Amino acid sequence: MSFPYALELVDVVKRFGDHTAVDHVSFTVETGTIMALLGPNGAGKTTTIEMCEGFQRPDSGKISVLGMSPATEPDKVRAQVGIMLQDSGSYSGIRVREMLELTASYSRDPLKPEWLLELFGLQNVQRTTYRRLSGGQKQRLNLAVALISRPRLVFVDEPTAGMDAQSRLLVWDLLRALRSDGVTVILTTHLMDEAQALADRVTIVDRGRVVAQGTPAELQAATATTIHFETDGDVDLSRGEWQKLGVSATKPRTYVLHTTPRPEVVAKLAQQAAADGVLITHLDTHARSLEDAFLDITGRTLRS
C-alpha cells in the first residue's frame, strides 16, 4: 500500500469537558525517520500519541497511521505498530522470557525471543519477574516487546528513563538501526540531548498546540547564537569587517558578535584582526542547544 507519510495529523482536536487537550494539531512524519514529539508536562503529547495508537478518538480532524485510521481501524493499526510505554508492567508477576514469548504468540512473524534476550542483555534475568527488574532492565524489556512483531512504525515513550550510560547507548544505536531499516520512530522524551542526537525532525507542542517544527539544527538556528573573542590589542569597531558584521565590545579587548557561527564569519574576523595587526587570543563559538531552543519557545516557568 502506498501512502505519502507514515504518520499524518490534520487539524486534530481532542477535548475533555471544558479542557482542550489537543487544539488543531497538524504535522507529518516521513517514512523511515525519527520524529521527536516534545513539550512541557500537560502539553498534550500523551493524548496526541494515544489518538495515533487508537486508544483515544479525536473529536475532529484526521489521523492517518501507515495509511490507516486509528479511530476506525484500531486493530489494523496496532498490528503494524510497536508501542513502548514508559512503564508497561501490568503483568508484574510475569517473567522476562514469558513476557517475550507471550507477546510473540500474538504475532504472525515475530522476532525470536532468544535473540531479543541476547540483544538487550536480558539473558541473566530471563527468569526474573517484571516487578523485580531494575528501571533500566524494565525499559529494555519494554522496547524488546515493542519490536518483537517487526513493526513498521514504533512509538517509544521515554525509552532511556532509568538506564545506565551503556544501556542508553545501546537503545540509541537500536533506534538508529530501525531507521536504517525503514522503520519510522515516534519518540517522546524529556531528555533534550536524546532528541538532539536521534531526531531527524522535532515537533514541539505547548498548551495543546504545535508551537515549533523543524530539524534540531533549524530550531537551534532560530534562537540567538554568539561568537565571543578577545584580542591582544584594541580594535576600531567603526571600520572594516568589525563594522559590517556588527561586532560590539563587552569590555576592553573583549568582543561579541550575535550571529550563527559559520566558518566564513570566523575567517572574516581573523582577516580583519590580521589587517589591524592584532592577535585573537581567545575565540568561543557558542551555539544554542536544542534544550536552549526548547526553553526559548515554551518558556522557563515550572509546569504542574
Side-chain angles (χ1 to χ4, degrees):
M1 182 182 297
S2 175
F3 40 87
Y5 302 104
L7 177 64
E8 180 180 18
L9 284 78
V10 180
D11 212 24
V12 173
V13 175
K14 180 65 179 179
R15 298 184 180 91
F16 297 97
D18 295 332
H19 173 65
T20 301
V22 178
D23 192 359
H24 299 279
V25 163
S26 299
F27 61 81
T28 59
V29 183
E30 300 279 352
T31 300
T33 63
I34 299 176
M35 193 278 282
L37 183 64
L38 308 179
N41 291 331
K45 302 186 303 297
T46 299
T47 301
T48 299
I49 293 300
E50 287 179 349
M51 287 189 291
C52 295
E53 295 167 343
F55 296 116
Q56 297 269 6
R57 293 177 66 96
D59 294 322
S60 62
K62 170 192 171 185
I63 302 177
S64 174
V65 178
L66 302 172
M68 299 173 287
S69 169
T72 60
E73 305 171 281
D75 292 338
K76 288 184 179 180
V77 168
R78 288 195 284 271
Q80 296 291 322
V81 306
I83 301 172
M84 177 192 178
L85 303 176
Q86 188 174 355
D87 187 358
S88 59
S90 56
Y91 301 109
S92 62
I94 198 169
R95 301 179 190 277
V96 170
R97 175 180 280 276
E98 291 172 341
M99 185 66 178
L100 291 174
E101 291 175 343
L102 175 63
T103 309
S105 70
Y106 300 145
S107 176
R108 292 181 180 178
D109 182 28
L111 296 170
K112 293 182 178 180
E114 190 65 43
W115 180 74
L116 289 170
L117 287 169
E118 181 179 355
L119 179 65
F120 285 94
L122 296 170
Q123 306 99 315
N124 293 336
V125 293
Q126 60 182 294
R127 298 184 183 280
T128 302
T129 58
Y130 185 89
R131 64 172 170 265
R132 294 187 178 278
L133 297 176
S134 69
Q137 289 169 339
K138 288 179 180 178
Q139 287 298 84
R140 280 183 274 152
L141 176 58
N142 293 341
L143 182 54
V145 167
L147 300 182
I148 201 166
S149 64
R150 305 179 191 265
R152 298 162 65 190
L153 185 151
V154 183
F155 295 95
V156 290
D157 181 21
E158 302 289 347
T160 61
M163 287 189 179
D164 57 31
Q166 291 81 4
S167 297
R168 190 182 190 204
L169 290 176
L170 168 67
V171 170
W172 284 15
D173 287 342
L174 283 170
L175 294 179
R176 292 186 181 111
L178 288 171
R179 175 178 57 191
S180 297
D181 289 341
V183 177
T184 306
V185 179
I186 310 299
L187 166 70
T188 55
T189 180
H190 284 99
L191 302 175
M192 294 298 123
D193 63 328
E194 183 162 82
Q196 186 168 340
L198 295 175
D200 299 295
R201 289 187 63 81
V202 173
T203 297
I204 299 177
V205 295
D206 194 13
R207 306 184 195 281
R209 289 181 173 268
V210 173
V211 293
Q213 295 186 75
T215 67
E218 288 170 345
L219 295 178
Q220 290 168 245
T223 59
T225 54
T226 57
I227 299 176
H228 295 271
F229 65 97
E230 301 173 8
T231 61
D232 64 355
D234 296 323
V235 300
D236 183 359
L237 297 179
S238 65
R239 62 184 297 273
E241 294 296 335
W242 310 126
Q243 183 183 43
K244 292 179 183 178
L245 292 171
V247 175
S248 59
T250 58
K251 57 184 180 179
R253 300 183 181 182
T254 303
Y255 308 92
V256 64
L257 173 59
H258 295 282
T259 187
T260 301
R262 301 187 305 276
E264 60 268 26
V265 175
V266 175
K268 288 178 180 178
L269 293 175
Q271 289 166 2
Q272 187 61 57
D276 289 356
V278 298
L279 175 67
I280 295 179
T281 57
H282 176 80
L283 186 144
D284 174 43
T285 57
H286 176 66
R288 304 279 277 174
S289 67
L290 182 59
E291 182 170 351
D292 293 326
F294 177 83
L295 291 173
D296 285 344
I297 292 166
T298 61
R300 298 172 183 268
T301 303
L302 184 65
R303 305 294 178 88
S304 60

